[in-house]
Amino acid sequence: MTYDPDNTALLVIDPYNDFLSEGGKIWDRLKAVAEANRCITNMLAVLEASRGAGLRVFYALHHRYRPGDFEAWKHMAPIQGAAWRAKTFEEGSWGGAIREGFEPGPGDVVAHEHWCSSGFANTDLDQQLKVHGIQRVIVIGVRANTCVEATVRFAAELGYDVTVVRDATASLSEEEMHATLEVNLPNYAAIVTTSEIVESLAGSLRRPNPARPRALSGS
Amino acid sequence: MTYDPDNTALLVIDPYNDFLSEGGKIWDRLKAVAEANRCITNMLAVLEASRGAGLRVFYALHHRYRPGDFEAWKHMAPIQGAAWRAKTFEEGSWGGAIREGFEPGPGDVVAHEHWCSSGFANTDLDQQLKVHGIQRVIVIGVRANTCVEATVRFAAELGYDVTVVRDATASLSEEEMHATLEVNLPNYAAIVTTSEIVESLAGSLRRPNPARPRALSGS
Amino acid sequence: MTYDPDNTALLVIDPYNDFLSEGGKIWDRLKAVAEANRCITNMLAVLEASRGAGLRVFYALHHRYRPGDFEAWKHMAPIQGAAWRAKTFEEGSWGGAIREGFEPGPGDVVAHEHWCSSGFANTDLDQQLKVHGIQRVIVIGVRANTCVEATVRFAAELGYDVTVVRDATASLSEEEMHATLEVNLPNYAAIVTTSEIVESLAGSLRRPNPARPRALSGS
Amino acid sequence: MTYDPDNTALLVIDPYNDFLSEGGKIWDRLKAVAEANRCITNMLAVLEASRGAGLRVFYALHHRYRPGDFEAWKHMAPIQGAAWRAKTFEEGSWGGAIREGFEPGPGDVVAHEHWCSSGFANTDLDQQLKVHGIQRVIVIGVRANTCVEATVRFAAELGYDVTVVRDATASLSEEEMHATLEVNLPNYAAIVTTSEIVESLAGSLRRPNPARPRALSGS
């Protein structure tokens, strides 16, 4: 597979300290899976390879907890009730900050925070992808069976071509990983490994005219 | 749990012959699971109980295959490629007709056909629920880990309160059922059994003023 | 301006007999404006030029009236109440058929019918444009200040580049035309004349490699 | 007309200093219309009456300019290009702050910033309305023919019942006001005056059980 930086983006989902850093609120429950598949190392490798190949990077970030968020809701999804109780990704806290190494850089696009699991639902992600000419997305991040799976499903429904990097994601159990990577997402995306995508992206760079600058005209 | 017919609807997903009837294109692969949990009997029981309790019934139906549908698409989800090859739910065919007993009746709402798995994506389902005042949906139908899970995930993202009936759905394997009903959907919905929901709906009917007519003013 | 058929589509809005043909339910109220700007002749010219330049044609069609549509709605927009009373675009009727000369042909895409005015709201138009790689739309059709303006506004909001052909639309009064073409839509679209767009499209055809076939791979 | 606070919200659009305060970037062009219809006084009256009647208040706020926002967009709507050049509602500036008297208070909901004109497009406004049980919106704010009209059109398309307060909005010219309030929005909303809505809201308060507290359960 090759990826054209003119229409392909990397989509990084929820690289928060609460998920990915020692001391984060969910890290203890996530680290067994994350360490088994070298998730963080792989996420960094895909991020670096994507930047190297000239892909624009988009961030889909979960709602950061703020006092008063949910008090007046008439109902909510169970996962939202859990996030409310745990105050995960609290606004202004270290846990709600991006893990070192994953910080958005100049030219990256950070979509509106999402309230549930899909980076597309109730955000500007779809519009931002469109105005940047993106038709294909490569997805990495956490958690596999909640935000990653939801975002991939939405992307496919909305008409994007989707690739998921199977060892650049993690979740709370191998059972969750299996549900997403083996059972569900093969219906909606190509599933590749980090080494495969890094190789593809390196190849994408070796185009006949690799020096062609990316069109960045604003109007 | 009780359900108020003024704001609750039953949502029936893809009750096509190709899925649910002997001779349907997918029935052979689905029937082991469907027969093990008495899926069709349970779906009929929930449908009858919902109608009895005065709930409006909405149908989310998968795109029916028509020649020329996909030929010009630049890309598609793997599950769409499979549907294309198999010509499932072919327009005008028996397989693309609703299974006997599940036909929409007067006052039911049939949403636009969906192209992928979610009954909400690229359809009028959200708008139809809103103009009918619906804020809660009870979901039955097939297949569990594709159209049912996708529709439930979208419903939760869009702000609906969702209940899934665990033995009024089926899929191609117990592994798929497990991924959806045990691993993923508890994050997004209440999961109940047919007997529980039928009892709840019967109780919903026994309100102080059970004869109160439903408001049906058109303007 | 030039248009690349790989990412540009023509979008035709509501070319129904009820709007555009002698004897149609709304024609009598529309024809003064439509004849003054030669709307139908111009729409045909743009359609022909678009096909000649290899642009794919998409149709955004208003909901066709069917008995029982609105009876249970708790509320509706005034324009929907009017459509209900007038039974415009009645399903199966001549008025609800496409005017001769505007019939969709092979390879054209007909989006789900829209319930109000925007061809994007509650339909698959956005997804269909995306899977066909479309990022720019040229818009013609009726009525200017309802379905055309709504569809253009939505297209711009969703991230499309939009061109409106000012004399290939019509409405019930010059006041409505003015509100849309002079006051509102210059905020959201390029506004051109039929002769300008026909010339641009002819130029788009005269590319260095005009014979290059359009990519139509399905997977 | 009466409004039930359980399902009705006030929606305030873009009450920024740049629009509504002496010294704001757009105030000089807006003030002739705003002063002629006493827009600010009326907006405050509707806001106060809404709070008094127990309606929840939602804010739809335009994107605040930040450096780098648009540089990489492949295209944009003309109105976005103008906002980019003028740096309206600049993040952190006085012009991008809410005008005194219109600041969101406890329990109010501030939706994601919108990139173009509709408060619904690419934001969480629809979802926030739904989880709070809102089915009807009363709309005030600026500018009439851009953000107000766009938001009203989207609300109607998405299935909300909409009321617009005709003298609690303003724009750059009487021609723009006319296009929106006389020509277009009567198709999509009830149009009322400030004195009418204030009276209705006062009446809404005088219900048989005016002391009934609003349900604010979070789960």
Side-chain angles (χ1 to χ4, degrees):
Chain A
M1 231 179 303
T2 60
Y3 296 93
D4 180 349
D6 271 351
N7 65 21
T8 310
L10 178 69
L11 182 52
V12 184
I13 301 181
D14 293 339
Y16 285 125
N17 284 319
D18 266 349
F19 270 147
L20 294 182
S21 294
E22 185 72 37
K25 285 181 179 172
I26 304 167
W27 172 248
D28 278 349
R29 299 161 63 206
L30 191 85
K31 75 176 172 186
V33 171
E35 291 178 353
N37 71 358
R38 306 184 67 238
C39 169
I40 293 171
T41 303
N42 288 334
M43 284 176 65
L44 286 168
V46 178
L47 180 60
E48 182 182 16
S50 297
R51 293 196 192 281
L55 268 63
R56 191 173 298 278
V57 180
F58 291 71
Y59 284 78
L61 300 181
H62 193 276
H63 177 74
R64 289 167 164 108
Y65 171 78
R66 299 172 184 85
D69 283 343
F70 296 105
E71 272 74 0
W73 289 30
K74 289 180 182 287
H75 55 258
M76 64 187 62
I79 199 172
Q80 292 172 316
W84 184 17
R85 286 188 297 274
K87 300 184 173 44
T88 36
F89 323 125
E90 190 166 5
E91 172 76 359
S93 76
W94 169 84
I98 303 298
R99 188 192 198 279
E100 195 182 338
F102 291 99
E103 301 89 346
D108 292 354
V109 176
V110 179
H112 292 322
E113 295 177 4
H114 50 271
W115 280 99
C116 190
S117 295
S118 168
F120 286 94
N122 315 303
T123 78
D124 57 347
L125 181 54
D126 179 57
Q127 180 254 18
Q128 285 279 20
L129 292 172
K130 272 190 283 194
V131 295
H132 289 90
I134 303 303
Q135 299 172 330
R136 309 181 73 188
V137 289
I138 300 166
V139 179
I140 62 172
V142 285
R143 291 192 292 149
N145 70 311
T146 54
C147 291
V148 171
E149 182 169 337
T151 303
V152 169
R153 283 176 177 263
F154 269 68
E157 298 276 357
L158 298 183
Y160 292 94
D161 183 74
V162 190
T163 297
V164 174
V165 188
R166 58 179 303 122
D167 49 1
T169 184
S171 201
L172 306 188
S173 66
E174 292 298 342
E175 184 183 34
E176 287 180 358
M177 296 292 279
H178 182 78
T180 291
L181 294 174
E182 312 301 333
V183 179
N184 284 346
L185 288 194
N187 290 312
Y188 305 105
I191 316 279
V192 302
T193 62
T194 294
S195 60
E196 287 168 345
I197 195 83
V198 167
E199 187 176 357
S200 290
L201 288 167
S204 301
L205 194 62
R206 293 192 296 271
R207 298 186 300 178
N209 183 10
R212 185 166 69 80
R214 185 165 177 182
L216 294 179
S217 70
S219 66
Chain B
M1 230 179 303
T2 60
Y3 296 93
D4 180 349
D6 271 351
N7 65 20
T8 310
L10 178 69
L11 181 52
V12 184
I13 301 180
D14 293 338
Y16 284 124
N17 283 320
D18 267 348
F19 269 148
L20 295 181
S21 294
E22 185 73 37
K25 287 181 179 173
I26 303 167
W27 171 249
D28 279 348
R29 299 161 63 206
L30 190 86
K31 74 175 171 186
V33 171
E35 291 178 351
N37 70 358
R38 307 184 67 240
C39 170
I40 294 171
T41 303
N42 289 334
M43 285 177 64
L44 286 168
V46 178
L47 180 60
E48 182 182 16
S50 297
R51 294 196 191 282
L55 268 60
R56 191 173 298 280
V57 181
F58 290 71
Y59 285 78
L61 300 182
H62 193 277
H63 177 74
R64 289 169 163 106
Y65 171 78
R66 299 172 184 85
D69 283 342
F70 295 105
E71 272 74 0
W73 290 31
K74 289 180 182 288
H75 55 258
M76 64 188 61
I79 199 173
Q80 292 172 317
W84 184 16
R85 285 188 297 273
K87 299 183 174 48
T88 36
F89 322 124
E90 189 166 5
E91 172 77 358
S93 76
W94 170 84
I98 302 298
R99 188 192 198 278
E100 194 182 340
F102 292 98
E103 302 88 347
D108 292 353
V109 176
V110 180
H112 292 322
E113 295 177 3
H114 49 271
W115 280 99
C116 190
S117 295
S118 168
F120 287 93
N122 315 302
T123 77
D124 57 347
L125 180 55
D126 178 58
Q127 180 255 16
Q128 285 278 20
L129 292 172
K130 272 190 283 195
V131 296
H132 289 88
I134 304 301
Q135 300 172 329
R136 309 181 75 188
V137 289
I138 300 166
V139 179
I140 63 171
V142 284
R143 293 192 293 152
N145 71 312
T146 55
C147 291
V148 171
E149 182 169 338
T151 303
V152 170
R153 283 175 176 264
F154 269 67
E157 298 276 357
L158 297 183
Y160 292 94
D161 183 74
V162 190
T163 298
V164 174
V165 188
R166 58 179 302 121
D167 49 0
T169 184
S171 200
L172 307 188
S173 67
E174 293 298 343
E175 183 182 35
E176 288 181 356
M177 296 292 278
H178 181 78
T180 291
L181 295 174
E182 312 301 333
V183 180
N184 285 345
L185 287 194
N187 290 311
Y188 306 105
I191 316 280
V192 301
T193 63
T194 294
S195 59
E196 287 168 344
I197 195 82
V198 167
E199 187 176 356
S200 291
L201 289 167
S204 301
L205 193 63
R206 292 192 296 272
R207 298 185 301 176
N209 183 9
R212 185 167 70 82
R214 184 162 179 182
L216 294 179
S217 72
S219 66
Chain C
M1 231 178 304
T2 59
Y3 296 93
D4 180 350
D6 271 350
N7 65 19
T8 310
L10 178 69
L11 182 52
V12 184
I13 300 180
D14 293 339
Y16 285 124
N17 284 320
D18 266 347
F19 268 147
L20 295 181
S21 294
E22 186 72 37
K25 287 180 179 174
I26 304 168
W27 172 248
D28 278 348
R29 300 161 62 207
L30 190 85
K31 75 176 173 186
V33 171
E35 291 178 352
N37 71 359
R38 307 184 66 241
C39 170
I40 293 170
T41 303
N42 289 335
M43 284 177 65
L44 286 168
V46 178
L47 179 61
E48 181 182 16
S50 298
R51 294 195 191 281
L55 267 62
R56 191 172 299 278
V57 181
F58 290 71
Y59 285 78
L61 300 181
H62 193 278
H63 177 74
R64 289 169 164 107
Y65 171 78
R66 299 172 184 85
D69 283 343
F70 296 105
E71 273 73 1
W73 290 30
K74 289 181 182 288
H75 54 259
M76 64 188 61
I79 199 172
Q80 293 172 316
W84 184 17
R85 286 188 296 274
K87 299 184 174 48
T88 37
F89 323 126
E90 189 167 4
E91 171 77 357
S93 77
W94 170 85
I98 303 298
R99 188 192 198 277
E100 194 181 340
F102 291 99
E103 302 89 346
D108 292 353
V109 176
V110 180
H112 292 321
E113 295 177 3
H114 50 272
W115 279 99
C116 189
S117 295
S118 168
F120 287 94
N122 316 303
T123 78
D124 57 347
L125 180 55
D126 178 58
Q127 180 254 18
Q128 285 279 18
L129 292 172
K130 273 191 282 196
V131 296
H132 289 89
I134 303 303
Q135 300 172 330
R136 309 181 74 188
V137 289
I138 300 165
V139 179
I140 63 172
V142 285
R143 292 192 291 151
N145 70 312
T146 54
C147 292
V148 171
E149 183 170 337
T151 303
V152 170
R153 283 176 177 263
F154 269 68
E157 298 276 357
L158 297 183
Y160 292 94
D161 183 75
V162 190
T163 298
V164 174
V165 188
R166 60 178 302 123
D167 50 0
T169 184
S171 200
L172 307 188
S173 67
E174 293 298 342
E175 184 183 34
E176 288 180 356
M177 295 293 278
H178 181 79
T180 291
L181 294 174
E182 312 301 332
V183 179
N184 285 345
L185 288 194
N187 291 311
Y188 306 105
I191 315 280
V192 301
T193 63
T194 294
S195 59
E196 287 168 344
I197 195 82
V198 166
E199 187 176 355
S200 291
L201 288 167
S204 300
L205 193 63
R206 292 192 297 270
R207 298 186 302 177
N209 183 9
R212 185 167 70 81
R214 184 165 180 181
L216 294 180
S217 70
S219 65
Chain D
M1 232 179 302
T2 59
Y3 296 93
D4 180 349
D6 271 351
N7 66 20
T8 309
L10 177 70
L11 182 52
V12 184
I13 300 181
D14 293 338
Y16 284 125
N17 284 319
D18 266 348
F19 269 147
L20 295 182
S21 295
E22 186 71 37
K25 287 181 177 172
I26 304 167
W27 172 248
D28 277 349
R29 300 161 63 205
L30 190 85
K31 74 176 172 186
V33 171
E35 291 178 352
N37 71 358
R38 305 184 68 240
C39 169
I40 293 170
T41 303
N42 288 334
M43 284 176 65
L44 286 168
V46 178
L47 180 59
E48 182 182 16
S50 297
R51 293 197 192 281
L55 268 62
R56 192 173 297 279
V57 180
F58 290 72
Y59 284 78
L61 300 181
H62 193 277
H63 177 74
R64 288 166 163 110
Y65 171 78
R66 299 171 184 86
D69 282 345
F70 296 104
E71 273 73 1
W73 289 30
K74 290 180 181 288
H75 54 259
M76 65 188 62
I79 199 172
Q80 292 172 316
W84 183 17
R85 286 188 297 274
K87 299 185 175 44
T88 36
F89 323 125
E90 190 167 4
E91 171 76 359
S93 76
W94 170 84
I98 302 299
R99 188 191 197 280
E100 195 181 338
F102 291 99
E103 301 89 346
D108 291 354
V109 176
V110 180
H112 292 321
E113 295 178 3
H114 50 269
W115 280 99
C116 191
S117 295
S118 168
F120 287 94
N122 315 302
T123 78
D124 57 348
L125 181 54
D126 178 58
Q127 180 256 15
Q128 285 279 20
L129 292 172
K130 273 190 283 194
V131 295
H132 289 89
I134 304 302
Q135 299 172 329
R136 310 181 73 189
V137 288
I138 300 166
V139 179
I140 63 172
V142 285
R143 293 194 288 151
N145 70 310
T146 54
C147 291
V148 171
E149 181 169 338
T151 303
V152 170
R153 283 176 177 263
F154 269 68
E157 298 276 357
L158 298 183
Y160 292 95
D161 183 75
V162 190
T163 298
V164 174
V165 188
R166 58 179 301 121
D167 50 1
T169 183
S171 200
L172 307 188
S173 66
E174 292 298 342
E175 184 184 34
E176 288 181 356
M177 296 292 279
H178 182 79
T180 291
L181 294 174
E182 312 302 332
V183 180
N184 284 345
L185 288 194
N187 290 311
Y188 305 105
I191 316 279
V192 302
T193 63
T194 294
S195 59
E196 287 168 344
I197 195 84
V198 167
E199 187 176 357
S200 291
L201 288 167
S204 300
L205 194 61
R206 292 192 296 271
R207 297 187 299 177
N209 182 9
R212 187 167 68 81
R214 185 165 180 182
L216 293 180
S217 69
S219 65

